[in-house]
Amino acid sequence: MAEIVRLAHKMGMNERQQSVSLGQGQGKKAERAIMEGREQGLWVILQNCHLASSWMGRLEVFVEDLHPDKVHDQFRLWLTAMPSPDFPVSVLQNGLKMTNEPPKGLKSNLLRAYLSIEKDWFDEAGVSKGEACQQAFRKMLFGLCFFHASIQERCTYGPLGWNIPYQFSEPDRQICMMQLRMFLEENDT
């Protein structure tokens, strides 16, 4: 999701997007977003499609009805999902597919984490509280990113040594980074 938002910002579409997290009762909201998006040229992002298996038939109908001459030229429909047997095959066959998998190795994972951080956000973190806060933030951020990379790398070994499998995903890391910054900036270091 973060990559789509970053692309929208780069393409000047950050104010012209609608995001719907699918789940129980979100089908109507998603349908309205698709209708508005194709008429007004919005980017519509439907997240967690695998959680709305009962709505996948409706999604298939909407996608089949999207003809280039009937939709705004700026309209894009983004779908995020985990692998699911309920996902419509025709949607997969007629769309562009991208995968987002964690890189292999600690170094690659750390590099990806730091490349995902906006330079301005990183430079401004902790500045309001002084240099000590900024240095503390950078050290803790490295620890957080290293922990995330370690968990991602550890998942390749499967259930060995784990009681409960847990995927510490990219969005989880992003949220932790924002909370770390907020905690340091709102409290005395």
Side-chain angles (χ1 to χ4, degrees), residues 12 16-17 20 35 39 54 61 81 87 119 123 126 138 153 163 186:
R16 298 177 43 80
Q17 62 178 321
V20 178
M35 298 296 286
E39 292 171 7
S54 63
V61 170
F87 204 88
K119 184 176 178 2
D123 290 341
R138 290 179 178 185
E153 192 63 21
N163 289 333
E186 291 181 0

Side-chain angles (χ1 to χ4, degrees), residues 118-134:
E118 293 182 24
K119 184 176 178 2
D120 293 339
W121 185 87
F122 181 77
D123 290 341
E124 293 170 4
V127 170
S128 62
K129 289 284 191 168
E131 191 173 329
C133 182
Q134 191 174 27

Side-chain angles (χ1 to χ4, degrees), residues 111-189:
L111 185 61
R112 181 177 186 176
Y114 274 96
L115 289 175
S116 72
I117 301 171
E118 293 182 24
K119 184 176 178 2
D120 293 339
W121 185 87
F122 181 77
D123 290 341
E124 293 170 4
V127 170
S128 62
K129 289 284 191 168
E131 191 173 329
C133 182
Q134 191 174 27
Q135 291 302 320
F137 172 77
R138 290 179 178 185
K139 288 178 183 180
M140 287 188 218
L141 180 65
F142 177 78
L144 174 65
C145 291
F146 188 81
F147 176 69
H148 176 263
S150 299
I151 296 294
Q152 290 296 320
E153 192 63 21
R154 185 67 183 95
C155 287
T156 61
Y157 295 106
L160 292 175
W162 294 99
N163 289 333
I164 300 170
Y166 176 72
Q167 184 73 18
F168 186 31
S169 64
E170 300 285 325
D172 293 333
R173 188 196 68 230
Q174 294 286 348
I175 290 168
C176 289
M177 288 169 31
M178 289 185 292
Q179 287 180 326
L180 173 63
R181 179 179 173 175
M182 184 176 60
F183 177 78
L184 285 174
E185 289 179 347
E186 291 181 0
N187 298 292
D188 294 330
T189 53

